[in-house]
Amino acid sequence: MSNIVAIVGRPNVGKSTLFNRLIQSRDAIVHESSGVTRDRHYGVSNWNGLDFSVIDTGGYVTNSDDIFEEEIRKQAVLAIDEADVIVLLVDVLSGITDLDDAIAGILRKSNKKIILVVNKVDNNERLYDANVFYGLGLGEIYSVSSINGSGTGDLLDAVVEALPGNITDEEDEEEIPKFAIVGRPNVGKSSLINTFIGEDRNIVTPISGTTRDSIHTRYNKFGHDFILIDTAGLRKKTKVSEDIEFYSVMRSIRTIESADVCLLMLDATRGIETQDVNIFQLIEKNKKGVVILVNKWDLVDKEANSTKHYEETIRERLAPFNDVPIIFTSALTKQRVFKALEKAIEVYENKKKRITTSKLNEYMLAVIESNYPPAIKGKYVKIKYVTQLPTRSPQFAFYCNLPQYVQDSYKRYLENKIRDEYDFTGVPIQIYMRKK
């Protein structure tokens, strides 16, 4: 089961600042003006060894208070529908506003776990003022200051405790690969699934999934045995065009977190778009394998080297992680669709690949000796030892004297050298520098 935490609240209470604090990044733009966050931001947070996704639901700028309140209500309803835990953020400086009360009223009617967070509490006087928010009737309050991080530890403890059925790596009784079909609406995900399983349904066994509205299907044809995860119901509740991206992202998060390998479908007639890149980055953040499927290739006018140019464009948009298989398919004509499955299986095997420490050191220490990390402030980094960590995705620890001086560019160099020697195509690699 995937875990989604949604931050909701009226504009300008600090949702983006709290979001950045929880994911330890600065992905969301922060500004004192309301409505800056128009796109919905999402990231992965880790606390006490548990990963979970965080959604910043954003706000809107309008001239009408009525429309404004309606849009906030839509976001709260969507968050209630999809998230496991709702964080309602309020501002201690303004006290309880009509919008706060309206959102709290919606949340009180849900069966979800609600955590009330009072922001901008950075002194004892404001800590006392925060007590007024007990009037919202949502139980315990957590006082934080998103800007400096005070109180966020207790908040994260409460979030982790509230998440349902936390899953560990040992939970899977059967090591059956899980392949998810993801992508924007109308790229052909349902057609691809029908192509995979539509020929002989008596060998397809439905399996109840933990992810709501995702369809888990056991596929055991032609010597293969894996689970397909489909998100064909993506467009079900997207009657309002403003909410389509938000809803599709939340669906994608649940599907991606349930999978080992994601088949990301692009629409060949539209090319790679920003939302495709967003979903790809979400796959990478969650350390999942990925295969790119350029669907509807039968509808594209072919020219000399058109496939090559199309592939180059995709890899440029996906950089720096662009060591991924790209297959041009047509779910309608069944062109290369089964090659996509074969490639997904290869990526799954790459994801499980283990390199012995002796072979890894023999190769990587020679690579490092030929190109040492650049000196920073007169400090020379000496890497003595490398090992692959016992994780479900490829992660490598390099032990050195000054890990803080190793730049990201050199980490990418090490990653590229690992990819040159060992086949990790389609799989994100994490490089860690540790003190020796």
Side-chain angles (χ1 to χ4, degrees):
M1 179 186 299
S2 54
N3 290 313
I4 297 179
V5 177
I7 305 173
V8 301
R10 60 184 177 81
N12 210 28
V13 293
K15 295 190 298 296
S16 294
T17 307
L18 180 61
F19 169 82
N20 288 339
R21 176 68 59 179
L22 294 185
I23 69 168
Q24 297 182 339
S25 177
R26 300 186 69 178
D27 289 352
I29 299 172
V30 178
H31 193 272
E32 63 184 8
S33 300
S34 65
V36 170
T37 306
R38 288 178 176 270
D39 297 327
R40 282 67 172 188
H41 296 281
Y42 43 91
V44 178
S45 180
N46 179 284
W47 189 253
N48 293 339
L50 177 69
D51 288 330
F52 55 91
S53 294
V54 183
I55 306 287
D56 173 14
T57 56
Y60 295 85
V61 175
T62 65
N63 295 321
S64 168
D65 290 338
D66 292 336
I67 297 174
F68 198 20
E69 186 170 338
E70 176 64 14
E71 296 296 347
I72 295 292
R73 188 193 67 80
K74 289 174 185 175
Q75 290 192 55
V77 169
L78 281 172
I80 291 169
D81 188 47
E82 285 302 307
D84 299 296
V85 174
I86 314 292
V87 171
L88 172 58
L89 194 65
V90 293
D91 184 346
V92 70
L93 298 180
S94 58
I96 298 177
T97 68
D98 291 342
L99 267 181
D100 293 329
D101 198 42
I103 298 171
I106 297 170
L107 298 179
R108 281 195 299 268
K109 297 175 184 177
S110 73
N111 293 320
K112 298 295 177 70
K113 175 64 178 178
I114 312 299
I115 297 178
L116 178 58
V117 180
V118 185
N119 194 24
K120 306 179 185 178
V121 182
D122 50 15
N123 59 50
N124 290 333
E125 183 179 347
R126 291 182 181 179
L127 188 63
Y128 175 79
D129 293 339
N131 292 325
V132 70
F133 289 95
Y134 281 109
L136 290 175
L138 293 175
E140 185 176 0
I141 63 174
Y142 292 85
S143 299
V144 305
S145 174
S146 299
I147 198 72
N148 62 35
S150 66
T152 52
D154 291 339
L155 170 59
L156 284 165
D157 285 340
V159 168
V160 168
E161 184 179 351
L163 290 172
N166 299 331
I167 281 183
T168 61
D169 288 348
E170 294 75 26
E171 185 168 335
D172 292 329
E173 296 180 2
E174 294 182 279
E175 278 298 323
I176 300 176
K178 297 182 181 66
F179 300 154
I181 315 296
V182 298
R184 292 181 289 105
N186 299 315
V187 293
K189 297 187 295 297
S190 299
S191 299
L192 183 65
I193 289 287
N194 290 337
T195 300
F196 287 152
I197 69 176
E199 297 177 0
D200 190 2
R201 291 181 180 273
N202 65 340
I203 61 171
V204 176
T205 305
I207 293 180
S208 60
T210 56
T211 305
R212 258 187 329 122
D213 289 344
S214 288
I215 303 167
H216 290 54
T217 305
R218 183 74 168 267
Y219 181 103
N220 50 8
K221 286 185 180 184
F222 312 121
H224 299 312
D225 188 11
F226 52 82
I227 293 173
L228 282 172
I229 308 173
D230 179 27
T231 50
L234 190 67
R235 297 184 300 277
K236 236 200 271 190
K237 298 183 182 180
T238 54
K239 295 179 182 178
V240 182
S241 59
E242 188 71 34
D243 297 323
I244 288 178
E245 181 180 355
F246 182 43
Y247 196 78
S248 65
V249 163
M250 298 189 87
R251 281 279 188 255
S252 297
I253 288 172
R254 287 198 176 278
T255 306
I256 289 166
E257 291 184 351
S258 301
D260 296 302
V261 177
C262 297
L263 285 73
L264 173 57
M265 295 190 72
L266 312 183
D267 187 333
T269 64
R270 298 176 61 176
I272 182 167
E273 299 183 333
T274 300
Q275 180 67 349
D276 300 318
V277 177
N278 288 342
I279 296 175
F280 178 83
Q281 291 172 345
L282 186 61
I283 295 169
E284 182 183 4
K285 284 180 182 179
N286 282 276
K287 306 178 183 68
K288 307 295 183 179
V290 60
V291 177
I292 305 293
L293 304 184
V294 184
N295 194 33
K296 306 181 184 180
W297 191 240
D298 55 313
L299 302 180
V300 175
D301 294 332
K302 309 299 189 299
E303 298 177 359
N305 298 322
S306 60
T307 303
K308 180 181 178 182
H309 293 322
Y310 208 107
E311 184 173 330
E312 288 175 351
T313 301
I314 292 173
R315 294 193 187 280
E316 287 175 4
R317 291 292 304 274
L318 300 182
F321 173 41
N322 53 18
D323 182 19
V324 296
I326 300 175
I327 301 175
F328 296 84
T329 68
S330 169
L332 188 63
T333 65
K334 302 181 181 180
Q335 180 184 20
R336 287 188 285 273
V337 293
F338 293 103
K339 181 181 179 182
L341 284 182
E342 293 173 0
K343 190 60 66 173
I345 293 170
E346 290 179 17
V347 171
Y348 175 73
E349 294 300 325
N350 290 345
K351 189 169 180 285
K352 296 195 305 178
K353 184 175 295 181
R354 297 283 306 167
I355 306 171
T356 62
T357 301
S358 58
K359 288 184 177 180
L360 188 61
N361 277 274
E362 181 181 353
Y363 170 67
M364 288 306 300
L365 292 182
V367 165
I368 294 166
E369 188 174 352
S370 67
N371 184 14
Y372 287 108
I376 305 293
K377 299 178 181 179
K379 305 288 186 179
Y380 291 89
V381 178
K382 297 180 181 179
I383 300 174
K384 299 294 186 182
Y385 180 75
V386 56
T387 186
Q388 184 175 359
L389 300 175
T391 53
R392 298 192 69 176
S393 62
Q395 300 180 31
F396 298 88
F398 289 77
Y399 291 87
C400 59
N401 58 333
L402 298 168
Q404 68 273 24
Y405 288 109
V406 180
Q407 297 180 322
D408 289 341
S409 58
Y410 192 78
K411 292 180 184 178
R412 285 194 293 271
Y413 164 75
L414 295 176
E415 176 185 339
N416 290 335
K417 287 300 181 180
I418 291 174
R419 291 186 184 278
D420 289 344
E421 182 71 9
Y422 306 102
D423 185 5
F424 283 108
T425 299
V427 184
I429 291 177
Q430 274 72 48
I431 301 293
Y432 300 102
M433 293 293 166
R434 292 184 174 175
K435 180 75 174 177
K436 176 65 174 177

